[in-house]
Amino acid sequence: MTTPRTVELVVNGEPRAADAEPRMLLSDFLREKLALTGTHVGCEHGVCGACTVLVDGESVRSCLMLAVQAQGAEVRTIEGLGSADDMHPLQEAFWEKHGLQCGFCTPGMLMSAVELLESNPTAGRDEIREAISSTLCRCTGYQTIVEAVQAAAEKMQGEGQ
Amino acid sequence: MKPPPFDYHCPETLDEALALLAEHGEGAKVLAGGQSLVPMLNLRALHPAVLIDINRLPGLDHVSLEDGRLRIGALARHRAVLESAAVREASPLMAEAYPYVSHGPIRNRGTLCGNLCHNDPASEMPAVVLASDAEMVLQSASGTRSVGAGDFFTGMLSTAARADELLVEVRMPQAPAGQGAGFHEVSPRKGDFAYVAAGATMTLDGGTCSGVRIVCAGVGDGPHRARAAEDALEGAAPGEDAFRQAAEAATEGLDPGEDFHADADYRRDLVCSLTRRALADAASRCH
Amino acid sequence: MTRERHYIPESRQREKPKSKYFAIGHSMKRVEDTRLLTGSGTYADDVSLPNMAHAAVLRSPHAHARIVAIDKSKAEALPGVICVMTGAEAAEVTGPCADFSSPPTPQHCIAVDKVRHVGEAVAAVVAESRYIAEDACELIEVEYDPLPAVVDIEDALTSSGDAVLHPGRGDSNVAMQRTIEFGPVDDDFAQADLVIERRLRWPRSGGTPIETVGATAHYDRGTGKFTIHANTSMYNYVGWLIAVSLKVDPHRLNIVPTDAGGSFGSKLFCHKVCTLAGTLARAAGRPVKYLEDRIDNMTSGDAHGSDRLYDARLALKRDGTMLSMRLKVVDDYGAYFQYGVGQHGNAMAQVTGPYKINSVEVDLTAVLTNKCQQGAYRGFGSEVGNFVIERLVDAACEEFGIDPIEMRRRNLIEQDQFPYIMPTGNMYDSGNYQAVLDEALGMIDIEGWRKKQAAAREQGRYIGIGISTCQERSVFSATEFWMWNPNETPGFTLSSSPESVSVNIDPTGKAFITLNAPFWGNSPETMAVQVLAEKLEMDPADISVGYADSDKGFNSSGPGGSRFTVMIAGAVSGAADVIKEKMLRVASHMLEADPSDLEFRAGSIGVQGVPGKEKTLAEVALHAHYFRLDLPEDHDLTSGIDAAYVYDHPVTTMPSEDRTDLGIFYPIVGHMCHIPVVEVDVETGKIDFLDYVAVHDCGTMVNPMTLAGHVRGGTVNGIGSALYEHFHYDESGQLHNALLSDYLHPTLMETPVDIRVGHVETPSPFTEYGIKGGGEGGRMGAPPAIAAAVEDALKPLGIKVDSLPLTPKVLRGMIREAEANGG
Ligand SMILES: Cc1cc2nc3c(=O)[nH]c(=O)nc-3n(C[C@H](O)[C@H](O)[C@H](O)COP(=O)(O)OP(=O)(O)OC[C@H]3O[C@@H](n4cnc5c(N)ncnc54)[C@H](O)[C@@H]3O)c2cc1C
Ligand code: FES
Ligand code: FES
């Protein structure tokens, strides 16, 4: 059964379906079959974290999951966060605090941060550092990413009240 | 770096899964969290004919403490185990060690059972379950058997599980009341596999160390129990000197292997210092 | 061109530094970011062309071997495979890759006859998907005849026979040996009271950005033209070199730049990947994407950094006055030699550091080994020089018992000595090194740390404080690539490395800037916008930026050598002058005033001294676009407001024939002071950062926020080089850490919680607004400072740090030895 099968799932709130061979990685499925190239691929062995997306609310390495395993799942990617004129507070904070340079790690950073702040809106610096440490960034030295997530957390809490 | 082609099955019941394993045997691989298997597929280090994805099997994601026994099912994710109150209550050592296992997104998918079946010599949990008298419950179409941790880890990336068997559950006796545990690790970076890790448990019985367990990871082809060190400390009064002597005993005759990250001398040094630290922590946490 | 020695051309600066700016100097949010934050960037792998096929490459498992036979029949028979190419087949249609070395070390996009390092391409497959292409690679059978592998840097000095990588260059793996003396070295050494001598080892690391290199090529049979989408940084510069390899005229090759997910030098050229993709696309008759995977990138990305062994000497007077240096250096370039000894040309720009050192002798031996070849990595070889000189200075402090800060104070070049010609002939344009040191010392309580250090030592804990005062030469000019070459075979003696832009004002008065160099993680769009906004006193939100492909692009060298901000400021400023002049001309007709009586006001042009008598830029632009013929007669005034401008290097002179004066080639020189505080766990060899201060002087700051980003990011790269990163080849030439699980980029947890950044601004008298480069950032200064801090921590054990990286194993090994010796 190496033959392709149809994978049906919900991506960023929209039902989507496309065929995939069982071996197709979720990262490739999102990028090639669904044209969601915002999810990046840097290592394909789980280390860099650029490919991190949310599956049923939890961050996962999309390079270490088969697309067929996402059958029926709810997947969220950077494209679902916000647009240039309607940014998610995390996107805004990354912009404000210079939390990105080349932007290649950014999808992974953002999705890890989304998972963190949605499950723990009052996350402090150490929790933020822990969450962010799963993704490599070769450009920023990380500090401004932590500051951005902190700022977003504060802002989101303010809005929540 | 893309996986080679394979057939894929995603059984919905345990019986179905076991039947598939019986049918495909050596050519099949169980896919649990995929956090070790998929990287190996991407690197084409493995070419299984068939993948049997167990992620949709019902009723295997439990982490529970019943009648003094901790039971962790095949689909309990690292994260669930890490966050489990049952684990904190039943196994202070596992609770101490878990934060060293990888990162959030890996823990969200990876399973404890998959981790044990993979048996990476630098992995923390095989050492933890070895120290904890764990039993591995292995099920196949032809029956169920239970293998003690001491017999389960048979060498580099290999275990006593047969190709047609599924590790359905790990069972561990609850740690004795008052037990303290310590776990220390040096890894290249936070969240990486260990260069060396050392774990220790003990209770303080009338002012002396008792039920001492000392285990290490990263010192050979699988988890290592430092029996000589345990013996050196058993019945002794806790204290820096005693811990130091035990830690030194842990290195005696040890051939920890080497790679370019860490040579044998370095690993022995780590066994010594980390064991000492783990013992000191364990003693200080006895209650 | 003959000229007097150490001649300094007159400054061509047109925009003087100002005390108050309109747009420059503001920490403006980046123009680039909205697309990157929403997942709408277009990186190399995001390009998709109709009917596109995918390529994968079969890599050599051997470090050095003859290719005896290749059987590709099984691979070709696999369904979904479009074509399979061997090196021999590729070489029939495609020539060797571009190469600056002299004589060349021919490298093919697929190896021909012989493989020279693990990971070198042996065959390539084009298939319907990357998955199938990789399946097919597994079916290709290659017979190799292994040759001796040369791995050790010193062994390479003496290898011969079968161990020679490029027998065409002679029976040796020494690619170049040259000794050059700058100034009276013998005399200066004769005067010395003390000569510090150390053997220092700088390890092979690499930029290794998270995005690898990729190209999607299309060959149009109808026109005979290639279109290649790629993440190369110098696409307007290397295009014609790639065309030469592909054997088409340069105008038959168009490179479309993509966003690049980091480079740090490693994507300067990317010519091999472009050449490979082009070759395969032509053969397949379909567009082909080839994207390096991580192993391809690490084993064969042509971008490993410097790998050097130094025997270094520093001559001093008893009072600590530094006199002269002698550097004997062997550099392991790997299997090919794409930039020649460009890395050493570069290092000559600041080889004596920020110190008043009168002379220097450099004895350079470049060797070839069976490893991936060197490319550029943040510093391009000059960061190694910083490490070497700072290690010597610290050793001298130890010897004399002089405090490292005091030692530097005594020897730093003084403010009134600029422009300063250093011994090799390069110029340091300006600086205030004492001020940088003062600023850094003001940010950290050294005394307090010394007390904590003493208290910690009482408890058996080891805290150390390090300091480095280093140069960041910026704005390279191209002579560094060939100045070391013999006069008989000088190679490609280019002298210019310009940068250019075009600016178009639309009918509503808003601006569009077209860059000729790509986005690679720096902030080219933000820099261009801030400078144009400054010049035209325009709202930055009214300016947007795009990238020309090489068909429409012109004179550009792209980012590299910390040049881009300076060069783009020059180009934008020049273009803006043309724009301004034209706007003034149009406005003068509209306002019926003489152009010389007009002034730019925020968003408009008005008559000086007459408030209210003005036209908005939008009105002027609209008029210029559509109502030209309403205006009075004005010879050669045409419709529209557009400008294209080429900015040449601000100040370059040529090397002398005998090379005892290398001329001015890297003259815009920044300075930095790094002070880390570390704690070493002597039992485990692990290092923790307790504090970190970095002060940089990059002249006038265009955007302090993005500059701080380079300082911090570069510092973490430097932490990687100092403590974690090292391409580990074993004796047989196998690379053991081609994966990111083993090649250890620092994660957040390995970095200081707060890298405290300070700035000093000493404007350059040679560049527009006095801007200097800052792109290489902290990697220039962190490694020596960290080495010093670790050495300081372990002073009670008498440990000397002579090589990097200080991995836990290495450090613990030194400590173990010291303990055994009763340390
Ligand atoms: C970046 C990264 C960092 C990591 N860091 C660490 C670390 O610090 N420490 C550490 O210990 N691990 C680490 N890991 C590995 C991780 O813990 C894996 O999750 C774990 O080793 C395997 O569990 P899994 O469920 O993902 O198993 P899989 O990858 O699905 O399977 C692993 C192997 O076990 C077999 N298998 C799985 N489940 C069963 C079962 N129930 N019965 C029989 N066979 C089975 C599979 O066939 C396969 O051979 C890391 C992984 C990554 C990608
Ligand atoms: S691409 Fe998935 S972790 Fe790197
Ligand atoms: S911004 Fe470039 S890798 Fe993080």
Side-chain angles (χ1 to χ4, degrees):
Chain A
M1 263 164 285
T2 53
T3 43
R5 52 184 73 192
T6 306
V7 179
E8 291 171 290
L9 70 181
V10 174
V11 183
N12 298 328
E14 275 180 46
R16 303 287 300 262
D19 288 351
E21 256 189 282
R23 62 167 161 169
M24 178 170 255
L25 302 172
L26 179 60
S27 47
D28 288 335
F29 181 79
L30 292 169
R31 293 176 48 79
E32 290 172 19
K33 298 282 179 170
L34 304 185
L36 293 168
T37 54
T39 297
H40 296 156
V41 172
C43 73
E44 293 178 302
H45 48 275
V47 179
C48 76
C51 69
T52 305
V53 301
L54 302 189
V55 175
D56 295 328
E58 292 189 334
S59 64
V60 307
R61 303 293 204 229
S62 61
C63 72
L64 297 188
M65 193 169 163
L66 304 175
V68 290
Q69 295 188 283
Q71 171 66 34
E74 199 180 314
V75 175
R76 287 165 68 193
T77 68
I78 185 174
E79 286 94 343
L81 278 189
S83 59
D85 35 42
D86 182 22
M87 282 191 182
H88 186 281
L90 272 162
Q91 290 169 311
E92 252 169 33
F94 269 61
W95 195 15
E96 195 79 47
K97 299 284 180 194
H98 193 35
L100 67 159
Q101 287 179 29
C102 79
F104 204 74
C105 68
T106 309
M109 291 291 182
L110 283 171
M111 298 321 287
S112 304
V114 168
E115 179 193 40
L116 175 72
L117 296 189
E118 287 183 0
S119 63
N120 181 7
T122 57
R125 183 159 86 170
D126 289 345
E127 287 151 312
I128 293 170
R129 283 174 60 83
E130 170 81 27
I132 292 305
S133 71
S134 67
T135 300
L136 295 174
C137 175
R138 195 61 166 160
C139 299
T140 61
Y142 303 104
Q143 192 170 329
T144 51
I145 295 177
V146 176
E147 285 167 12
V149 180
Q150 272 179 302
E154 279 160 28
K155 179 148 187 241
M156 286 163 75
Q157 270 173 266
E159 281 169 2
Q161 277 159 11
Chain B
M1 277 163 66
K2 309 291 180 192
F6 46 74
D7 278 344
Y8 172 79
H9 296 278
C10 188
E12 308 258 340
T13 66
L14 183 58
D15 285 346
E16 209 187 316
L18 297 177
L20 283 163
L21 275 174
E23 183 190 337
H24 295 288
E26 294 289 341
K29 270 279 169 195
V30 171
L31 173 61
Q35 302 302 293
S36 294
L37 181 58
V38 180
M40 289 175 83
L41 293 174
N42 290 358
L43 290 164
R44 296 194 180 224
L46 291 174
H47 293 78
V50 178
L51 280 200
I52 301 170
D53 182 350
I54 62 169
N55 281 278
R56 286 178 203 261
L57 299 185
L60 283 177
D61 63 353
H62 52 281
V63 186
S64 63
L65 178 60
E66 285 160 36
D67 306 329
R69 254 195 335 188
L70 181 65
R71 298 175 50 209
I72 303 176
L75 285 174
R77 311 284 170 186
H78 286 314
R79 176 166 172 192
V81 186
L82 171 73
E83 292 176 354
S84 153
V87 168
R88 277 197 296 280
E89 192 182 337
S91 175
L93 181 63
M94 187 176 273
E96 277 299 311
Y98 238 112
Y100 291 96
V101 180
S102 66
H103 302 278
I106 312 296
R107 292 183 197 142
N108 283 341
R109 292 290 300 168
T111 63
L112 172 64
C113 287
N115 181 287
L116 299 176
C117 289
H118 188 60
N119 191 21
D120 189 302
S123 182
E124 297 83 1
M125 285 305 134
V128 167
V129 300
L130 181 63
S132 311
D133 294 330
E135 293 281 317
M136 313 293 158
V137 182
L138 297 168
Q139 202 172 339
S140 69
S142 52
T144 303
R145 63 182 179 130
S146 167
V147 178
D151 297 320
F152 184 72
F153 303 107
T154 52
M156 177 71 79
L157 302 181
S158 59
T159 68
R162 294 192 314 261
D164 67 337
E165 283 179 323
L166 200 62
L167 173 58
V168 288
E169 185 176 286
V170 186
R171 291 185 190 154
M172 281 163 47
Q174 178 166 15
Q179 189 195 63
F183 192 91
H184 280 262
E185 169 169 325
V186 172
S187 58
R189 300 166 296 195
K190 171 81 174 50
D192 284 340
F193 281 103
Y195 288 147
V196 169
T201 57
M202 67 173 80
T203 50
L204 288 183
D205 193 5
T208 61
C209 305
S210 110
V212 179
R213 286 293 165 88
I214 300 172
V215 286
C216 298
V219 295
D221 56 9
H224 171 75
R225 200 168 143 192
R227 288 182 190 268
E230 292 174 359
D231 294 345
L233 200 58
E234 191 68 36
E240 251 189 61
D241 287 343
F243 298 150
R244 188 176 303 278
Q245 278 163 19
E248 276 161 15
T251 66
E252 263 159 44
L254 185 69
D255 178 11
E258 57 188 1
D259 60 20
F260 76 93
H261 284 305
D263 55 27
D265 283 341
Y266 180 54
R267 287 182 198 269
R268 269 190 291 270
D269 283 356
L270 289 181
V271 167
C272 191
S273 54
L274 300 181
T275 299
R276 200 192 71 242
R277 293 176 189 188
L279 284 168
D281 280 356
S284 73
R285 289 173 187 146
C286 289
H287 49 273
Chain C
M1 199 173 80
T2 55
R3 53 166 179 77
E4 72 191 87
R5 214 177 152 77
H6 296 166
Y7 145 83
I8 301 178
E10 206 175 308
S11 170
R12 289 190 279 113
Q13 181 182 58
R14 295 198 286 191
E15 291 291 347
K16 302 285 171 227
K18 300 196 233 170
S19 55
K20 200 167 174 300
Y21 287 99
F22 179 78
I24 284 179
H26 297 262
S27 288
M28 188 182 105
K29 289 191 289 187
R30 296 201 316 168
V31 179
E32 293 83 352
D33 285 354
T34 55
R35 69 173 189 277
L36 307 180
L37 282 165
T38 52
S40 354
T42 304
Y43 297 90
D45 194 27
D46 302 342
V47 174
S48 183
L49 301 180
N51 202 29
M52 179 175 83
H54 299 261
V57 145
L58 178 67
R59 303 250 162 236
S60 168
H62 294 281
H64 200 190
R66 281 195 192 91
I67 301 168
V68 179
I70 300 179
D71 180 354
K72 56 177 192 162
S73 54
K74 287 193 193 121
E76 282 174 329
L78 187 73
V81 170
I82 297 158
C83 70
V84 181
M85 265 191 135
T86 64
E89 289 162 340
E92 285 170 21
V93 288
T94 298
C97 296
D99 182 341
F100 276 12
S101 71
S102 176
T105 51
Q107 181 193 26
H108 294 267
C109 62
I110 307 174
V112 179
D113 299 337
K114 209 164 131 169
V115 288
R116 294 183 178 84
H117 61 88
V118 162
E120 186 163 18
V122 180
V125 176
V126 179
E128 296 297 340
S129 76
R130 175 73 180 227
Y131 289 76
I132 298 172
E134 292 188 19
D135 295 344
C137 283
E138 291 188 297
L139 298 175
I140 300 173
E141 287 162 19
V142 185
E143 191 189 326
Y144 296 96
D145 174 14
L147 294 166
V150 185
V151 179
D152 182 78
I153 187 168
E154 289 178 285
D155 288 351
L157 293 168
T158 54
S159 40
S160 64
D162 274 352
V164 172
L165 275 77
H166 297 276
R169 293 177 56 116
D171 188 31
S172 166
N173 281 323
V174 174
M176 165 172 282
Q177 200 294 317
R178 189 150 188 192
T179 307
I180 313 186
E181 191 179 317
F182 304 97
V185 177
D186 285 340
D187 292 353
D188 289 339
F189 268 79
Q191 283 180 43
D193 296 317
L194 176 75
V195 175
I196 295 291
E197 190 165 351
R198 290 187 79 163
R199 172 161 263 229
L200 300 165
R201 188 77 174 88
W202 177 271
R204 172 178 286 252
S205 59
T208 59
I210 308 297
E211 186 208 37
T212 60
V213 175
T216 304
H218 171 55
Y219 178 72
D220 186 327
R221 286 162 190 247
T223 57
K225 178 157 182 163
F226 284 100
T227 303
I228 302 180
H229 303 256
N231 51 7
T232 152
S233 306
M234 300 175 87
Y235 69 93
N236 264 313
Y237 188 90
V238 298
W240 71 276
L241 298 171
I242 294 166
V244 169
S245 296
L246 289 169
K247 300 186 178 172
V248 292
D249 287 336
H251 61 92
R252 294 200 196 279
L253 185 143
N254 183 25
I255 300 187
V256 185
T258 68
D259 290 326
S263 164
F264 319 105
S266 71
K267 289 177 185 153
L268 272 191
F269 276 20
C270 307
H271 53 300
K272 187 175 75 186
V273 165
C274 293
T275 307
L276 177 64
T279 301
L280 295 174
R282 182 162 52 187
R286 286 173 59 175
V288 171
K289 177 188 285 183
Y290 171 64
L291 181 84
E292 290 176 339
D293 63 26
R294 181 48 59 185
I295 295 179
D296 295 335
N297 181 263
M298 304 296 260
T299 60
S300 193
D302 296 328
H304 286 190
S306 298
D307 184 355
R308 298 185 186 167
L309 174 66
Y310 277 86
D311 285 301
R313 283 185 281 171
L314 173 66
L316 303 99
K317 298 292 273 182
R318 185 156 292 109
D319 64 2
T321 305
M322 301 174 198
L323 300 171
S324 182
M325 288 166 74
R326 278 205 163 102
L327 302 174
K328 189 169 159 50
V329 49
V330 186
D331 200 338
D332 176 351
Y333 274 85
Y336 299 96
F337 208 32
Q338 58 182 342
Y339 303 128
V341 291
Q343 286 87 340
H344 284 272
N346 188 311
M348 291 304 101
Q350 54 178 51
V351 66
T352 46
Y355 308 113
K356 292 171 274 190
I357 294 177
N358 189 48
S359 60
V360 59
E361 179 190 88
V362 184
D363 170 338
L364 165 64
T365 306
V367 295
L368 300 174
T369 61
N370 295 110
K371 299 175 188 163
C372 174
Q373 75 172 329
Q374 282 191 21
Y377 179 27
R378 226 167 182 176
F380 201 46
S382 66
E383 78 287 14
V384 192
N386 286 357
F387 171 73
V388 169
I389 188 166
E390 293 297 277
R391 290 282 69 213
L392 292 174
V393 170
D394 287 332
C397 294
E398 186 64 33
E399 198 73 30
F400 284 125
I402 301 179
D403 176 76
I405 296 166
E406 177 55 28
M407 180 70 143
R408 286 169 170 83
R409 285 239 184 266
R410 286 186 206 169
N411 286 283
L412 288 173
I413 296 162
E414 298 299 336
Q415 207 186 348
D416 59 9
Q417 292 180 287
F418 296 100
Y420 181 89
I421 298 286
M422 46 99 58
T424 64
N426 189 40
M427 177 184 75
Y428 298 166
D429 64 325
S430 63
N432 188 350
Y433 301 164
Q434 303 281 358
V436 173
L437 183 55
D438 287 338
E439 179 71 17
L441 293 174
M443 287 172 66
I444 189 164
D445 177 10
I446 298 267
E447 280 314 303
W449 276 116
R450 288 277 173 225
K451 285 191 192 123
K452 284 183 203 158
Q453 178 182 46
R457 274 182 194 164
E458 297 285 305
Q459 305 160 13
R461 288 172 49 212
Y462 294 80
I463 290 177
I465 304 152
I467 185 165
S468 68
T469 48
C470 293
Q471 304 295 80
E472 178 173 3
R473 81 287 167 273
S474 76
V475 196
F476 79 83
S477 73
T479 54
E480 71 181 54
F481 287 111
W482 51 267
M483 59 172 62
W484 280 89
N485 290 348
N487 289 342
E488 317 81 71
T489 52
F492 184 30
T493 55
L494 66 174
S495 66
S496 284
S497 42
E499 198 58 57
S500 49
V501 296
S502 49
V503 177
N504 307 84
I505 304 293
D506 72 22
T508 71
K510 300 184 179 177
F512 188 81
I513 304 175
T514 305
L515 301 176
N516 296 294
F519 169 78
W520 72 351
N522 50 348
S523 316
E525 300 170 32
T526 306
M527 296 301 111
V529 165
Q530 286 190 264
V531 174
L532 189 67
E534 180 69 41
K535 287 283 287 204
L536 300 181
E537 297 207 2
M538 196 181 215
D539 182 348
D542 289 342
I543 307 171
S544 60
V545 184
Y547 298 87
D549 56 30
S550 65
D551 266 355
K552 298 168 205 83
F554 53 105
N555 305 73
S556 159
S557 315
S562 291
R563 68 194 296 275
F564 198 72
T565 300
V566 168
M567 296 301 290
I568 203 69
V572 169
S573 176
D577 283 335
V578 178
I579 297 277
K580 276 171 92 165
E581 196 205 294
K582 186 146 187 198
M583 288 189 121
L584 289 175
R585 244 166 106 179
V586 174
S588 77
H589 292 303
M590 295 170 74
L591 291 163
E592 293 177 342
D594 193 83
S596 61
D597 292 334
L598 298 181
E599 65 181 4
F600 275 81
R601 300 170 185 162
S604 61
I605 296 173
V607 181
Q608 283 173 30
V610 190
K613 191 164 184 203
E614 61 187 26
K615 293 284 175 193
T616 64
L617 295 184
E619 288 169 320
V620 176
L622 189 71
H623 222 94
H625 271 268
Y626 298 124
F627 302 100
R628 158 69 190 95
L629 298 183
D630 289 0
L631 299 176
E633 277 303 309
D634 184 346
H635 179 67
D636 80 6
L637 180 67
T638 53
S639 292
I641 303 177
D642 312 291
Y645 193 87
V646 181
Y647 181 72
D648 266 305
H649 191 274
V651 48
T652 298
T653 63
M654 291 300 109
S656 68
E657 281 278 301
D658 65 358
R659 300 295 190 268
T660 58
D661 172 7
L662 299 177
I664 297 174
F665 63 100
Y666 235 134
I668 313 302
V669 181
H671 184 70
M672 69 190 71
C673 177
H674 280 229
I675 307 181
V677 182
V678 303
E679 176 163 359
V680 181
D681 181 335
V682 291
E683 288 187 332
T684 63
K686 289 289 269 186
I687 293 169
D688 248 348
F689 287 93
L690 306 181
D691 199 357
Y692 203 111
V693 164
V695 174
H696 283 232
D697 181 351
C698 301
T700 301
M701 290 188 281
V702 180
N703 186 319
M705 178 177 79
T706 63
L707 180 63
H710 284 296
V711 171
R712 290 206 178 91
T715 297
V716 171
N717 292 163
I719 290 170
S721 302
L723 304 180
Y724 295 96
E725 296 175 33
H726 181 202
F727 285 114
H728 182 82
Y729 284 92
D730 69 14
E731 290 145 28
S732 66
Q734 294 296 325
L735 179 61
H736 283 251
N737 50 354
L739 298 178
L740 292 182
S741 44
D742 293 309
Y743 184 88
L744 304 172
H745 289 176
T747 78
L748 173 68
M749 293 305 192
E750 284 68 51
T751 58
V753 173
D754 187 2
I755 298 173
R756 299 187 294 124
V757 175
H759 299 291
V760 167
E761 286 185 280
T762 311
S764 171
F766 292 91
T767 65
E768 300 311 307
Y769 299 106
I771 301 165
K772 297 182 182 179
E776 277 148 319
R779 188 167 184 263
M780 306 293 287
I786 293 166
V790 171
E791 194 170 277
D792 184 53
L794 299 178
K795 216 172 190 174
L797 297 170
I799 283 169
K800 296 266 174 281
V801 175
D802 293 326
S803 69
L804 300 178
L806 297 165
T807 64
K809 169 188 78 175
V810 168
L811 204 50
R812 175 60 207 155
M814 292 195 291
I815 294 164
R816 185 188 312 114
E817 202 179 329
E819 286 168 348
N821 297 336

